Amino acid sequence: MAAVWIILAVILLRLLLKRAPKFITLLLWGLVGIRLICPFSFESFLSIIPSAQLINPNIIAYSTDKVVDTGVPAINRKINFFLYSSDALNPLQIIISIISIIWIAGIICMLTVAIVSFLRLRRKVAMTAPYKDNILLCDAVKSPFILGIFRPKIYLPSAMSEEQISSVLAHEKAHLLRKDNWWKPLAYFILALHWFNPLCWIGYMLLCKDIELACDEKVIKKLSFEEK
């Protein structure tokens, strides 16, 4: 829930910082990523949510401790009394068990899609011609991209002219300098963990767009007026 507020804040700031350097927006998305993978929160009277932990994780172990702590004692008493008003199994435990299975299944599907897409792409670009260094030309490629994390390679369409290749390589090399071939898979992994959250999908799409704009910005800064 804390991450939801941060995503909304970054989307708003992104609109207000249109003329600011794009790396600032990427830093903001970095804060979102940290919040999404950070397993704990900080309790403060300034927080939107009074309690750092709304639901006690011990409920999964079928603990008899209070399971809901909203930060408001009166509400806590009402909810916890309802949950433990009978000897029957806590309904919240049943719901969490079911949701947990659905959540894990979603993560497996997301990661499976990523692996299958990677393998298909590797098969598609199996036939290539070396251009220079880590740059390859391929007839099956329609637009330039980088493939690989530890040994990244730049794939270019074979039909590209030398003038086009020069501009495109500047952009793709900016990706490598910024380690985007690491950051984008990490962002996708975080999305896989939060696949159920529509705002995370929106955030991921905006992040990918901002990464491209940041690379363009980095390249353009080094060009002359005519080259721009």
mmCIF file of all heavy atoms in Angstrom, residues 38-82:
data_model
loop_
_atom_site.group_PDB
_atom_site.id
_atom_site.type_symbol
_atom_site.label_atom_id
_atom_site.label_comp_id
_atom_site.label_asym_id
_atom_site.label_seq_id
_atom_site.Cartn_x
_atom_site.Cartn_y
_atom_site.Cartn_z
ATOM 1 N N CYS A 38 11.250 -3.893 -0.577
ATOM 2 C CA CYS A 38 11.632 -3.768 0.833
ATOM 3 C C CYS A 38 10.589 -4.480 1.700
ATOM 4 O O CYS A 38 9.410 -4.152 1.629
ATOM 5 C CB CYS A 38 11.728 -2.295 1.222
ATOM 6 S SG CYS A 38 12.363 -2.029 2.883
ATOM 7 N N PRO A 39 10.994 -5.471 2.509
ATOM 8 C CA PRO A 39 10.021 -6.279 3.260
ATOM 9 C C PRO A 39 9.491 -5.621 4.525
ATOM 10 O O PRO A 39 8.708 -6.214 5.246
ATOM 11 C CB PRO A 39 10.825 -7.532 3.608
ATOM 12 C CG PRO A 39 12.225 -7.032 3.744
ATOM 13 C CD PRO A 39 12.380 -5.928 2.721
ATOM 14 N N PHE A 40 9.922 -4.424 4.839
ATOM 15 C CA PHE A 40 9.446 -3.779 6.062
ATOM 16 C C PHE A 40 9.150 -2.315 5.799
ATOM 17 O O PHE A 40 9.519 -1.757 4.771
ATOM 18 C CB PHE A 40 10.484 -3.901 7.191
ATOM 19 C CG PHE A 40 11.830 -3.338 6.832
ATOM 20 C CD1 PHE A 40 12.112 -2.000 6.997
ATOM 21 C CD2 PHE A 40 12.815 -4.169 6.313
ATOM 22 C CE1 PHE A 40 13.349 -1.479 6.659
ATOM 23 C CE2 PHE A 40 14.057 -3.657 5.968
ATOM 24 C CZ PHE A 40 14.325 -2.305 6.137
ATOM 25 N N SER A 41 8.446 -1.698 6.738
ATOM 26 C CA SER A 41 8.089 -0.292 6.627
ATOM 27 C C SER A 41 8.425 0.409 7.925
ATOM 28 O O SER A 41 8.798 -0.220 8.913
ATOM 29 C CB SER A 41 6.592 -0.155 6.304
ATOM 30 O OG SER A 41 6.257 1.200 6.102
ATOM 31 N N PHE A 42 8.315 1.730 7.923
ATOM 32 C CA PHE A 42 8.622 2.512 9.106
ATOM 33 C C PHE A 42 7.348 3.158 9.637
ATOM 34 O O PHE A 42 6.591 3.751 8.873
ATOM 35 C CB PHE A 42 9.661 3.596 8.786
ATOM 36 C CG PHE A 42 10.961 3.043 8.296
ATOM 37 C CD1 PHE A 42 11.245 2.989 6.940
ATOM 38 C CD2 PHE A 42 11.900 2.558 9.190
ATOM 39 C CE1 PHE A 42 12.446 2.473 6.480
ATOM 40 C CE2 PHE A 42 13.109 2.040 8.745
ATOM 41 C CZ PHE A 42 13.380 1.993 7.395
ATOM 42 N N GLU A 43 7.137 3.030 10.928
ATOM 43 C CA GLU A 43 5.941 3.582 11.543
ATOM 44 C C GLU A 43 6.208 5.014 11.972
ATOM 45 O O GLU A 43 7.228 5.319 12.573
ATOM 46 C CB GLU A 43 5.541 2.735 12.748
ATOM 47 C CG GLU A 43 4.186 3.097 13.325
ATOM 48 C CD GLU A 43 3.736 2.064 14.338
ATOM 49 O OE1 GLU A 43 4.387 1.016 14.458
ATOM 50 O OE2 GLU A 43 2.729 2.325 15.015
ATOM 51 N N SER A 44 5.298 5.916 11.619
ATOM 52 C CA SER A 44 5.479 7.328 11.958
ATOM 53 C C SER A 44 4.122 8.000 12.074
ATOM 54 O O SER A 44 3.166 7.627 11.394
ATOM 55 C CB SER A 44 6.314 8.018 10.870
ATOM 56 O OG SER A 44 6.289 9.414 11.034
ATOM 57 N N PHE A 45 4.041 9.006 12.939
ATOM 58 C CA PHE A 45 2.784 9.749 13.073
ATOM 59 C C PHE A 45 2.526 10.603 11.830
ATOM 60 O O PHE A 45 1.427 11.110 11.633
ATOM 61 C CB PHE A 45 2.816 10.636 14.318
ATOM 62 C CG PHE A 45 3.767 11.800 14.237
ATOM 63 C CD1 PHE A 45 3.329 13.037 13.805
ATOM 64 C CD2 PHE A 45 5.118 11.643 14.559
ATOM 65 C CE1 PHE A 45 4.205 14.111 13.720
ATOM 66 C CE2 PHE A 45 5.994 12.705 14.478
ATOM 67 C CZ PHE A 45 5.543 13.947 14.058
ATOM 68 N N LEU A 46 3.548 10.758 10.966
ATOM 69 C CA LEU A 46 3.377 11.516 9.728
ATOM 70 C C LEU A 46 2.899 10.631 8.577
ATOM 71 O O LEU A 46 2.569 11.126 7.511
ATOM 72 C CB LEU A 46 4.705 12.183 9.334
ATOM 73 C CG LEU A 46 5.235 13.248 10.297
ATOM 74 C CD1 LEU A 46 6.607 13.735 9.847
ATOM 75 C CD2 LEU A 46 4.269 14.427 10.387
ATOM 76 N N SER A 47 2.908 9.322 8.786
ATOM 77 C CA SER A 47 2.542 8.404 7.720
ATOM 78 C C SER A 47 1.058 8.501 7.392
ATOM 79 O O SER A 47 0.230 8.806 8.256
ATOM 80 C CB SER A 47 2.867 6.955 8.130
ATOM 81 O OG SER A 47 4.242 6.810 8.372
ATOM 82 N N ILE A 48 0.742 8.201 6.128
ATOM 83 C CA ILE A 48 -0.661 8.141 5.717
ATOM 84 C C ILE A 48 -1.342 6.977 6.415
ATOM 85 O O ILE A 48 -2.490 7.059 6.834
ATOM 86 C CB ILE A 48 -0.751 7.988 4.181
ATOM 87 C CG1 ILE A 48 -0.152 9.218 3.503
ATOM 88 C CG2 ILE A 48 -2.191 7.805 3.734
ATOM 89 C CD1 ILE A 48 -0.057 9.099 2.011
ATOM 90 N N ILE A 49 -0.612 5.850 6.550
ATOM 91 C CA ILE A 49 -1.122 4.689 7.268
ATOM 92 C C ILE A 49 -0.487 4.698 8.655
ATOM 93 O O ILE A 49 0.735 4.624 8.769
ATOM 94 C CB ILE A 49 -0.750 3.385 6.530
ATOM 95 C CG1 ILE A 49 -1.291 3.430 5.090
ATOM 96 C CG2 ILE A 49 -1.306 2.169 7.247
ATOM 97 C CD1 ILE A 49 -0.823 2.286 4.234
ATOM 98 N N PRO A 50 -1.268 4.806 9.730
ATOM 99 C CA PRO A 50 -0.707 4.932 11.078
ATOM 100 C C PRO A 50 0.154 3.752 11.507
ATOM 101 O O PRO A 50 1.075 3.905 12.282
ATOM 102 C CB PRO A 50 -1.944 5.051 11.978
ATOM 103 C CG PRO A 50 -3.047 5.466 11.058
ATOM 104 C CD PRO A 50 -2.731 4.853 9.746
ATOM 105 N N SER A 51 -0.167 2.550 11.042
ATOM 106 C CA SER A 51 0.565 1.364 11.455
ATOM 107 C C SER A 51 1.493 0.909 10.352
ATOM 108 O O SER A 51 1.126 0.877 9.175
ATOM 109 C CB SER A 51 -0.404 0.230 11.806
ATOM 110 O OG SER A 51 0.302 -0.944 12.097
ATOM 111 N N ALA A 52 2.727 0.533 10.722
ATOM 112 C CA ALA A 52 3.688 0.066 9.727
ATOM 113 C C ALA A 52 3.332 -1.326 9.225
ATOM 114 O O ALA A 52 3.745 -1.735 8.158
ATOM 115 C CB ALA A 52 5.097 0.065 10.313
ATOM 116 N N GLN A 53 2.561 -2.091 10.027
ATOM 117 C CA GLN A 53 2.202 -3.454 9.662
ATOM 118 C C GLN A 53 0.709 -3.656 9.899
ATOM 119 O O GLN A 53 0.265 -3.850 11.026
ATOM 120 C CB GLN A 53 3.017 -4.442 10.492
ATOM 121 C CG GLN A 53 2.896 -5.873 10.023
ATOM 122 C CD GLN A 53 3.773 -6.785 10.860
ATOM 123 O OE1 GLN A 53 3.407 -7.168 11.957
ATOM 124 N NE2 GLN A 53 4.937 -7.109 10.344
ATOM 125 N N LEU A 54 -0.059 -3.590 8.799
ATOM 126 C CA LEU A 54 -1.510 -3.696 8.930
ATOM 127 C C LEU A 54 -1.952 -5.079 9.367
ATOM 128 O O LEU A 54 -2.867 -5.238 10.160
ATOM 129 C CB LEU A 54 -2.175 -3.346 7.602
ATOM 130 C CG LEU A 54 -2.099 -1.874 7.165
ATOM 131 C CD1 LEU A 54 -2.731 -1.715 5.804
ATOM 132 C CD2 LEU A 54 -2.797 -0.986 8.179
ATOM 133 N N ILE A 55 -1.314 -6.108 8.808
ATOM 134 C CA ILE A 55 -1.698 -7.488 9.115
ATOM 135 C C ILE A 55 -0.505 -8.238 9.680
ATOM 136 O O ILE A 55 0.574 -8.219 9.088
ATOM 137 C CB ILE A 55 -2.232 -8.203 7.849
ATOM 138 C CG1 ILE A 55 -3.489 -7.487 7.336
ATOM 139 C CG2 ILE A 55 -2.537 -9.658 8.141
ATOM 140 C CD1 ILE A 55 -4.056 -8.086 6.082
ATOM 141 N N ASN A 56 -0.686 -8.878 10.798
ATOM 142 C CA ASN A 56 0.373 -9.643 11.437
ATOM 143 C C ASN A 56 0.706 -10.871 10.588
ATOM 144 O O ASN A 56 -0.166 -11.708 10.341
ATOM 145 C CB ASN A 56 -0.097 -10.094 12.828
ATOM 146 C CG ASN A 56 1.009 -10.725 13.635
ATOM 147 O OD1 ASN A 56 2.020 -11.151 13.087
ATOM 148 N ND2 ASN A 56 0.801 -10.794 14.927
ATOM 149 N N PRO A 57 1.964 -11.028 10.130
ATOM 150 C CA PRO A 57 2.307 -12.192 9.303
ATOM 151 C C PRO A 57 2.170 -13.516 10.039
ATOM 152 O O PRO A 57 2.122 -14.566 9.411
ATOM 153 C CB PRO A 57 3.762 -11.920 8.903
ATOM 154 C CG PRO A 57 4.277 -10.960 9.924
ATOM 155 C CD PRO A 57 3.099 -10.122 10.324
ATOM 156 N N ASN A 58 2.089 -13.497 11.371
ATOM 157 C CA ASN A 58 1.934 -14.730 12.141
ATOM 158 C C ASN A 58 0.606 -15.424 11.872
ATOM 159 O O ASN A 58 0.427 -16.585 12.223
ATOM 160 C CB ASN A 58 2.035 -14.441 13.646
ATOM 161 C CG ASN A 58 3.452 -14.092 14.058
ATOM 162 O OD1 ASN A 58 4.406 -14.512 13.416
ATOM 163 N ND2 ASN A 58 3.585 -13.308 15.112
ATOM 164 N N ILE A 59 -0.306 -14.690 11.229
ATOM 165 C CA ILE A 59 -1.609 -15.304 10.918
ATOM 166 C C ILE A 59 -1.447 -16.520 10.009
ATOM 167 O O ILE A 59 -2.205 -17.480 10.066
ATOM 168 C CB ILE A 59 -2.555 -14.279 10.258
ATOM 169 C CG1 ILE A 59 -3.951 -14.886 10.084
ATOM 170 C CG2 ILE A 59 -2.029 -13.844 8.915
ATOM 171 C CD1 ILE A 59 -4.951 -13.926 9.508
ATOM 172 N N ILE A 60 -0.416 -16.501 9.162
ATOM 173 C CA ILE A 60 -0.192 -17.623 8.249
ATOM 174 C C ILE A 60 0.154 -18.878 9.042
ATOM 175 O O ILE A 60 -0.129 -19.998 8.633
ATOM 176 C CB ILE A 60 0.931 -17.266 7.251
ATOM 177 C CG1 ILE A 60 0.494 -16.042 6.428
ATOM 178 C CG2 ILE A 60 1.237 -18.426 6.320
ATOM 179 C CD1 ILE A 60 1.565 -15.502 5.519
ATOM 180 N N ALA A 61 0.793 -18.682 10.203
ATOM 181 C CA ALA A 61 1.146 -19.816 11.061
ATOM 182 C C ALA A 61 -0.001 -20.144 12.025
ATOM 183 O O ALA A 61 0.207 -20.854 13.007
ATOM 184 C CB ALA A 61 2.411 -19.499 11.841
ATOM 185 N N TYR A 62 -1.182 -19.588 11.750
ATOM 186 C CA TYR A 62 -2.369 -19.834 12.569
ATOM 187 C C TYR A 62 -2.139 -19.404 14.027
ATOM 188 O O TYR A 62 -2.470 -20.116 14.971
ATOM 189 C CB TYR A 62 -2.791 -21.304 12.498
ATOM 190 C CG TYR A 62 -3.085 -21.742 11.104
ATOM 191 C CD1 TYR A 62 -2.141 -22.450 10.374
ATOM 192 C CD2 TYR A 62 -4.280 -21.398 10.485
ATOM 193 C CE1 TYR A 62 -2.396 -22.816 9.061
ATOM 194 C CE2 TYR A 62 -4.552 -21.770 9.173
ATOM 195 C CZ TYR A 62 -3.605 -22.474 8.471
ATOM 196 O OH TYR A 62 -3.843 -22.838 7.177
ATOM 197 N N SER A 63 -1.531 -18.240 14.177
ATOM 198 C CA SER A 63 -1.287 -17.694 15.510
ATOM 199 C C SER A 63 -2.588 -17.142 16.081
ATOM 200 O O SER A 63 -3.492 -16.741 15.359
ATOM 201 C CB SER A 63 -0.229 -16.589 15.423
ATOM 202 O OG SER A 63 -0.145 -15.877 16.624
ATOM 203 N N THR A 64 -2.670 -17.103 17.410
ATOM 204 C CA THR A 64 -3.845 -16.510 18.058
ATOM 205 C C THR A 64 -3.593 -15.057 18.425
ATOM 206 O O THR A 64 -4.400 -14.440 19.122
ATOM 207 C CB THR A 64 -4.201 -17.297 19.331
ATOM 208 O OG1 THR A 64 -3.055 -17.329 20.192
ATOM 209 C CG2 THR A 64 -4.620 -18.723 18.984
ATOM 210 N N ASP A 65 -2.446 -14.503 17.987
ATOM 211 C CA ASP A 65 -2.179 -13.090 18.229
ATOM 212 C C ASP A 65 -3.178 -12.256 17.449
ATOM 213 O O ASP A 65 -3.801 -12.729 16.492
ATOM 214 C CB ASP A 65 -0.761 -12.720 17.794
ATOM 215 C CG ASP A 65 0.294 -13.437 18.629
ATOM 216 O OD1 ASP A 65 -0.049 -13.853 19.744
ATOM 217 O OD2 ASP A 65 1.427 -13.576 18.151
ATOM 218 N N LYS A 66 -3.305 -10.991 17.841
ATOM 219 C CA LYS A 66 -4.158 -10.103 17.050
ATOM 220 C C LYS A 66 -3.590 -10.018 15.644
ATOM 221 O O LYS A 66 -2.389 -9.894 15.435
ATOM 222 C CB LYS A 66 -4.245 -8.720 17.693
ATOM 223 C CG LYS A 66 -2.910 -7.986 17.786
ATOM 224 C CD LYS A 66 -3.101 -6.624 18.408
ATOM 225 C CE LYS A 66 -1.788 -5.854 18.456
ATOM 226 N NZ LYS A 66 -1.939 -4.511 19.023
ATOM 227 N N VAL A 67 -4.442 -10.112 14.645
ATOM 228 C CA VAL A 67 -3.974 -10.200 13.265
ATOM 229 C C VAL A 67 -4.068 -8.886 12.526
ATOM 230 O O VAL A 67 -3.436 -8.700 11.500
ATOM 231 C CB VAL A 67 -4.762 -11.278 12.488
ATOM 232 C CG1 VAL A 67 -4.485 -12.652 13.066
ATOM 233 C CG2 VAL A 67 -6.241 -10.975 12.510
ATOM 234 N N VAL A 68 -4.874 -7.961 13.027
ATOM 235 C CA VAL A 68 -5.044 -6.686 12.341
ATOM 236 C C VAL A 68 -4.661 -5.553 13.287
ATOM 237 O O VAL A 68 -5.123 -5.498 14.426
ATOM 238 C CB VAL A 68 -6.505 -6.506 11.858
ATOM 239 C CG1 VAL A 68 -6.697 -5.113 11.268
ATOM 240 C CG2 VAL A 68 -6.858 -7.570 10.839
ATOM 241 N N ASP A 69 -3.798 -4.681 12.809
ATOM 242 C CA ASP A 69 -3.383 -3.532 13.616
ATOM 243 C C ASP A 69 -3.423 -2.295 12.726
ATOM 244 O O ASP A 69 -2.485 -1.999 12.004
ATOM 245 C CB ASP A 69 -1.977 -3.739 14.172
ATOM 246 C CG ASP A 69 -1.536 -2.569 15.053
ATOM 247 O OD1 ASP A 69 -2.388 -1.702 15.357
ATOM 248 O OD2 ASP A 69 -0.349 -2.508 15.413
ATOM 249 N N THR A 70 -4.535 -1.605 12.738
ATOM 250 C CA THR A 70 -4.720 -0.438 11.871
ATOM 251 C C THR A 70 -4.104 0.822 12.457
ATOM 252 O O THR A 70 -4.012 1.848 11.789
ATOM 253 C CB THR A 70 -6.224 -0.176 11.650
ATOM 254 O OG1 THR A 70 -6.830 0.111 12.915
ATOM 255 C CG2 THR A 70 -6.895 -1.374 11.003
ATOM 256 N N GLY A 71 -3.704 0.735 13.734
ATOM 257 C CA GLY A 71 -3.211 1.924 14.405
ATOM 258 C C GLY A 71 -4.293 2.624 15.199
ATOM 259 O O GLY A 71 -4.034 3.563 15.949
ATOM 260 N N VAL A 72 -5.543 2.164 15.043
ATOM 261 C CA VAL A 72 -6.683 2.725 15.775
ATOM 262 C C VAL A 72 -7.236 1.621 16.673
ATOM 263 O O VAL A 72 -7.859 0.673 16.189
ATOM 264 C CB VAL A 72 -7.773 3.236 14.812
ATOM 265 C CG1 VAL A 72 -8.914 3.865 15.595
ATOM 266 C CG2 VAL A 72 -7.192 4.215 13.809
ATOM 267 N N PRO A 73 -7.018 1.689 17.994
ATOM 268 C CA PRO A 73 -7.412 0.603 18.914
ATOM 269 C C PRO A 73 -8.862 0.179 18.792
ATOM 270 O O PRO A 73 -9.171 -1.015 18.843
ATOM 271 C CB PRO A 73 -7.107 1.199 20.292
ATOM 272 C CG PRO A 73 -6.021 2.210 20.042
ATOM 273 C CD PRO A 73 -6.322 2.791 18.696
ATOM 274 N N ALA A 74 -9.782 1.132 18.649
ATOM 275 C CA ALA A 74 -11.207 0.790 18.590
ATOM 276 C C ALA A 74 -11.501 -0.102 17.385
ATOM 277 O O ALA A 74 -12.248 -1.085 17.477
ATOM 278 C CB ALA A 74 -12.048 2.054 18.532
ATOM 279 N N ILE A 75 -10.901 0.245 16.247
ATOM 280 C CA ILE A 75 -11.109 -0.563 15.033
ATOM 281 C C ILE A 75 -10.459 -1.932 15.197
ATOM 282 O O ILE A 75 -11.025 -2.956 14.797
ATOM 283 C CB ILE A 75 -10.529 0.170 13.802
ATOM 284 C CG1 ILE A 75 -11.287 1.488 13.570
ATOM 285 C CG2 ILE A 75 -10.600 -0.717 12.567
ATOM 286 C CD1 ILE A 75 -10.747 2.315 12.428
ATOM 287 N N ASN A 76 -9.272 -1.958 15.803
ATOM 288 C CA ASN A 76 -8.578 -3.232 16.024
ATOM 289 C C ASN A 76 -9.436 -4.194 16.838
ATOM 290 O O ASN A 76 -9.552 -5.377 16.519
ATOM 291 C CB ASN A 76 -7.244 -3.005 16.747
ATOM 292 C CG ASN A 76 -6.260 -2.227 15.895
ATOM 293 O OD1 ASN A 76 -6.416 -2.138 14.691
ATOM 294 N ND2 ASN A 76 -5.243 -1.679 16.523
ATOM 295 N N ARG A 77 -10.043 -3.682 17.925
ATOM 296 C CA ARG A 77 -10.854 -4.532 18.806
ATOM 297 C C ARG A 77 -12.040 -5.126 18.055
ATOM 298 O O ARG A 77 -12.346 -6.309 18.190
ATOM 299 C CB ARG A 77 -11.332 -3.726 20.020
ATOM 300 C CG ARG A 77 -10.250 -3.478 21.069
ATOM 301 C CD ARG A 77 -10.858 -2.997 22.381
ATOM 302 N NE ARG A 77 -11.558 -1.719 22.203
ATOM 303 C CZ ARG A 77 -10.975 -0.534 22.351
ATOM 304 N NH1 ARG A 77 -9.674 -0.454 22.651
ATOM 305 N NH2 ARG A 77 -11.667 0.585 22.196
ATOM 306 N N LYS A 78 -12.697 -4.299 17.261
ATOM 307 C CA LYS A 78 -13.867 -4.765 16.515
ATOM 308 C C LYS A 78 -13.489 -5.869 15.530
ATOM 309 O O LYS A 78 -14.134 -6.922 15.469
ATOM 310 C CB LYS A 78 -14.504 -3.589 15.762
ATOM 311 C CG LYS A 78 -15.202 -2.563 16.649
ATOM 312 C CD LYS A 78 -16.514 -3.099 17.184
ATOM 313 C CE LYS A 78 -17.264 -2.000 17.951
ATOM 314 N NZ LYS A 78 -18.530 -2.528 18.505
ATOM 315 N N ILE A 79 -12.442 -5.606 14.731
ATOM 316 C CA ILE A 79 -12.058 -6.568 13.686
ATOM 317 C C ILE A 79 -11.543 -7.862 14.290
ATOM 318 O O ILE A 79 -11.949 -8.961 13.901
ATOM 319 C CB ILE A 79 -10.994 -5.951 12.756
ATOM 320 C CG1 ILE A 79 -11.573 -4.755 11.988
ATOM 321 C CG2 ILE A 79 -10.462 -7.000 11.768
ATOM 322 C CD1 ILE A 79 -10.582 -4.031 11.102
ATOM 323 N N ASN A 80 -10.646 -7.758 15.273
ATOM 324 C CA ASN A 80 -10.065 -8.958 15.872
ATOM 325 C C ASN A 80 -11.099 -9.762 16.664
ATOM 326 O O ASN A 80 -11.051 -10.991 16.689
ATOM 327 C CB ASN A 80 -8.877 -8.576 16.765
ATOM 328 C CG ASN A 80 -7.683 -8.095 15.953
ATOM 329 O OD1 ASN A 80 -7.274 -8.746 15.005
ATOM 330 N ND2 ASN A 80 -7.130 -6.957 16.321
ATOM 331 N N PHE A 81 -12.064 -9.075 17.271
ATOM 332 C CA PHE A 81 -13.141 -9.785 17.969
ATOM 333 C C PHE A 81 -13.973 -10.577 16.970
ATOM 334 O O PHE A 81 -14.351 -11.728 17.218
ATOM 335 C CB PHE A 81 -14.031 -8.805 18.731
ATOM 336 C CG PHE A 81 -15.236 -9.467 19.362
ATOM 337 C CD1 PHE A 81 -15.107 -10.199 20.541
ATOM 338 C CD2 PHE A 81 -16.492 -9.367 18.767
ATOM 339 C CE1 PHE A 81 -16.211 -10.822 21.108
ATOM 340 C CE2 PHE A 81 -17.591 -9.992 19.330
ATOM 341 C CZ PHE A 81 -17.455 -10.719 20.505
ATOM 342 N N PHE A 82 -14.257 -9.972 15.807
ATOM 343 C CA PHE A 82 -15.033 -10.661 14.783
ATOM 344 C C PHE A 82 -14.286 -11.896 14.272
ATOM 345 O O PHE A 82 -14.868 -12.968 14.088
ATOM 346 C CB PHE A 82 -15.323 -9.719 13.617
ATOM 347 C CG PHE A 82 -15.884 -10.404 12.407
ATOM 348 C CD1 PHE A 82 -17.204 -10.822 12.368
ATOM 349 C CD2 PHE A 82 -15.080 -10.649 11.301
ATOM 350 C CE1 PHE A 82 -17.715 -11.458 11.248
ATOM 351 C CE2 PHE A 82 -15.580 -11.287 10.182
ATOM 352 C CZ PHE A 82 -16.904 -11.695 10.160
#
